Structure formats: structure tokens, C-alpha cells
Amino acid sequence: MHSSKAILPAVASVIDSPDYFRIKTVHSFEELVATPFAHGVSAFCWSRTLPGDFDEVVEKLGAGEGVMTIEDHQLLQLALSPAGRMAANGLREDLRRLREEERDPVVNCIHEYRRDEEPGPVRTDLFSFHVDSAPVEADTWLCTYFGPASEGLRNEDARRKVDIPEIREQLREYLGAEADDDAFRAALHEHYYDLHYAAVEGARPYSFGVGQLWRIAVEWPGSPVPPCIHRAPATAPGEPPRLLLICRSDPDPETFVPAGAGDHAVLIKIASSVAFYDALAANDSAVEAMGKDELKVIAAELVTQVRKSVTIDWTVKEGARAKTSHGEANSWEARLPARPARRSRQYRPRPSRVALR
């Protein structure tokens, strides 16, 4: 196995105002909701200046660690000045708007995202440029109210890491694959490596800005536009926390399930009930033992339990399959699945294990 990693080009400093044909500025929440992804546009930004003192809101939320989910009642109970209350009310208004559109927004106070401590050839935490992914039509919404904002990368300035020959060979050895075959490609997908990107030489990442509400494209079968490439901003110990809103469209709670990813997750993989039953198809004994009705109940319970255990920033959205992505995850910044064992030849999960785990 190679002991050294591929050397990637250095990334230039982030620019504030990208002039990029894949980004469209809108002028109202209604326009943000109604405008379809088309003609190559993969991100919509409602550019605005929010009134109030979000610094005070963050200060009054107090000390913490990791990613803390902030509930409405916490914002209401904060002892704030008029400027602080104005900021909190503005944030709550965004939550109200999204809920009226049947979204499930989450506000995170992010003190620290967990970094990928043993990344292997490809880092898959939220600090890596990645795209969100889903098995059905979906999009990701996010807004940074305080602290460093999410960063984007032009699709033309990016290259999938699994398509870089040196990295691909290192991943083949890391996963214990004997050849670059269908099984190896399935393993790259299973472990989310295919969602991460490297910036090309001279690339200029752009900032999502503070206070701007974004709706970005996700990779899904049949998407008319490329997904939006993004990452969580670099942070240093001792810096003030970020205040971030993240949510993802959820057309059907039984077919759209976020899987855990890490503190600051890349949105990771979403398991659908379709995949659940497809997996069971290879295990007749499980179907015979439980029956379809009981399996449906189990699938619904899994959705409920996963939602209770996941934190949201798919901050992504930076945070899980950055398949669902870096996300600032709706806390979809969940925790990445365990790394495959080095040199393991069993890197393609058997359907029966997928169905029952």
C-alpha cells in the first residue's frame, strides 16, 4: 500500500461575490421556493441583510462542544436586548417559512466539527469539498447567521477524487480490491468516496456569505443539473461557534432517511424503503419469518429512530453520504459509518446484511 497521499493543488483564498452562471440570485423566499433547477443553475441564493445582533444570540446560548441543536423554545427563553431579540425573531421566521413549505429545518450552534482522524487516501469529513446525494429528488437549504460561512467550488474547477489515477489506486489498495472492477466501484460508492472533490490548480472557492439563504442542488438519479459542490469552512480552536440553519426537502418520510455521519457531517447516505425491500429480496428467510406488514412497521420505526439520533447541519448541511453530504447536514451532519477494514476482501456488503443491520 502506498504510504504517501496524492498531492493536490493548493486552494486559493475564498472570494465573497462569485460571478458564476450556476448561481442565481433571487429576491424573495417565494422565488427561492418556486424557481426550478434548470439551464445548468445548481444553486439559488436569496441575498439579504438580516437585522439584529446574532453575536449576542450566540453568546447567550452559552458554552458547549461539538454540534448543538437549538430548539425554538431556547431562542424564546433567551434574555436578549432588542437587537438580539430582532436577530432571534428573524431566525425563527426562517424556520416558520420553511415549515410552512413542509420542510424540516434545524438550527445548529457549531462549536466544533469532528475531523476525519484516519482518512485514508480520501478525507470524507465536512471540511472536504463534496456534494450531497439522495435516491430521490431532493435539495438542501442552508444559512449561516453567525461565524464563518460555508464555501462553494465551481464544478468546472473541481475533479472527483476517485477519478484522479493516483488516488484511485491508493483507494483500491486501501479497500483491498484486487482490480478496478464493478465491485470496487460499488465499494467507492458505499463508502461515499465518489462524493468528494479536489480543487484544480488556480481554483477560487466562493463564500456562501452570512445571512444569505441558499437552496442548492443535490445529486439524484435524473437530476437536470449538476450538484452544488461545497464544504464547511475551516475553523480553529477558540473561535466563536457558527450559527447555522440546515434542512433538506423530504418528499416522503418512508423513503428519505438520513444515515448518521460525524459531528459535522457530510451528508451521508440516505436509505430508502425501496432499498430496504430490495435488500430483503435476497434473504427469503427474513421475509418469511417476519412478513411484509411487520417489515413495513420496522422500516417506519427506523425512520423515526434515525431522525431522533441525527444532528442537523448537512452543514452541509455541512455535514452524509455527503450521499446525503459534508454538509452542513440537517444535522444531516451526522456521523460517518465505520471505515472498511484495511485489506479486507469483503468490501461489498451482502444484501442480507444490508437488510438486517
Side-chain angles (χ1 to χ4, degrees):
M1 180 181 297
H2 295 300
S3 59
S4 61
K5 297 181 182 179
I7 298 176
L8 301 174
V11 178
S13 58
V14 176
I15 58 176
D16 291 330
S17 302
D19 181 13
Y20 182 38
F21 75 96
R22 296 198 188 280
I23 299 175
K24 180 179 179 179
T25 299
V26 299
H27 304 287
S28 68
F29 180 79
E30 291 71 23
E31 187 180 2
L32 189 61
V33 171
T35 309
F37 290 109
H39 309 298
V41 175
S42 57
F44 299 107
C45 173
W46 180 17
S47 183
R48 57 190 183 162
T49 300
L50 295 178
D53 188 349
F54 287 94
D55 188 344
E56 181 187 2
V57 174
V58 170
E59 180 182 356
K60 290 299 179 67
L61 286 171
E65 58 183 22
V67 179
M68 298 172 57
T69 299
I70 308 302
E71 306 292 348
D72 287 39
H73 68 85
Q74 293 174 268
L75 294 172
L76 285 171
Q77 292 172 359
L78 295 177
L80 298 168
S81 68
R85 179 54 55 195
M86 184 179 296
N89 288 343
L91 194 162
R92 294 180 60 242
E93 178 64 11
D94 281 348
L95 293 174
R96 183 194 65 78
R97 290 188 180 111
L98 287 164
R99 287 165 182 159
E100 285 188 350
E101 293 297 325
E102 298 185 350
R103 262 68 176 187
D104 188 19
V106 173
V107 174
N108 286 332
C109 188
I110 303 160
H111 295 268
E112 181 183 12
Y113 285 126
R114 180 177 300 170
R115 289 185 176 272
D116 200 345
E117 296 177 354
E118 296 183 8
V122 172
R123 183 175 293 278
T124 56
D125 58 27
L126 293 177
F127 300 103
S128 166
F129 280 117
H130 63 274
V131 299
D132 298 341
S133 175
V136 294
E137 183 175 359
D139 54 25
T140 295
W141 296 64
L142 57 99
C143 177
T144 299
Y145 298 96
F146 183 81
S150 307
E151 298 170 4
L153 183 66
R154 292 173 172 83
N155 296 70
E156 297 73 20
D157 288 345
R159 187 178 183 189
R160 277 201 322 170
K161 291 182 178 179
V162 297
D163 294 330
I164 298 173
E166 182 179 356
I167 292 178
R168 192 176 187 89
E169 177 61 17
Q170 290 174 0
L171 282 169
R172 187 188 66 77
E173 293 188 7
Y174 183 74
L175 292 171
E178 295 182 356
D180 191 338
D181 54 13
D182 289 344
F184 173 57
R185 288 186 284 277
L188 295 177
H189 181 79
E190 175 69 17
H191 296 290
Y192 325 128
Y193 293 126
D194 57 344
L195 297 175
H196 290 264
Y197 288 74
V200 302
E201 188 72 39
R204 295 295 302 275
Y206 58 87
S207 173
F208 278 43
V210 174
Q212 319 307 312
L213 183 58
W214 289 72
R215 176 175 158 239
I216 64 175
V218 165
E219 180 181 282
W220 58 275
S223 174
V225 299
C228 180
I229 301 171
H230 59 288
R231 70 178 178 187
T235 55
E239 289 185 349
R242 298 177 66 205
L243 192 61
L244 178 77
L245 177 149
I246 179 90
C247 83
R248 190 158 186 176
S249 61
D250 190 351
D252 184 344
E254 289 196 6
T255 61
F256 202 68
V257 186
D263 281 354
H264 176 89
V266 183
L267 245 191
I268 303 177
K269 180 176 179 180
I270 293 184
S272 68
S273 60
V274 174
F276 181 78
Y277 287 114
D278 283 350
L280 281 171
N283 191 327
D284 294 337
S285 61
V287 177
E288 293 173 1
M290 291 184 281
K292 292 183 179 179
D293 289 341
E294 186 170 350
L295 289 174
K296 185 174 182 179
V297 172
I298 292 173
E301 290 177 350
L302 285 172
V303 173
T304 301
Q305 292 304 315
V306 168
R307 284 183 169 172
K308 286 180 179 179
S309 64
V310 172
T311 60
I312 300 180
D313 164 58
W314 186 338
T315 186
V316 226
K317 227 159 79 315
E318 289 169 20
R321 183 166 163 21
K323 257 221 166 273
T324 51
S325 129
H326 163 273
E328 301 195 16
N330 189 346
S331 268
W332 305 84
E333 295 185 358
R335 234 174 41 178
L336 290 172
R339 293 274 177 186
R342 292 177 183 268
R343 309 295 302 174
S344 170
R345 302 293 175 182
Q346 303 299 323
Y347 51 84
R348 172 183 273 181
R350 291 182 297 176
S352 59
R353 294 188 63 186
V354 172
L356 298 176
R357 66 188 177 193

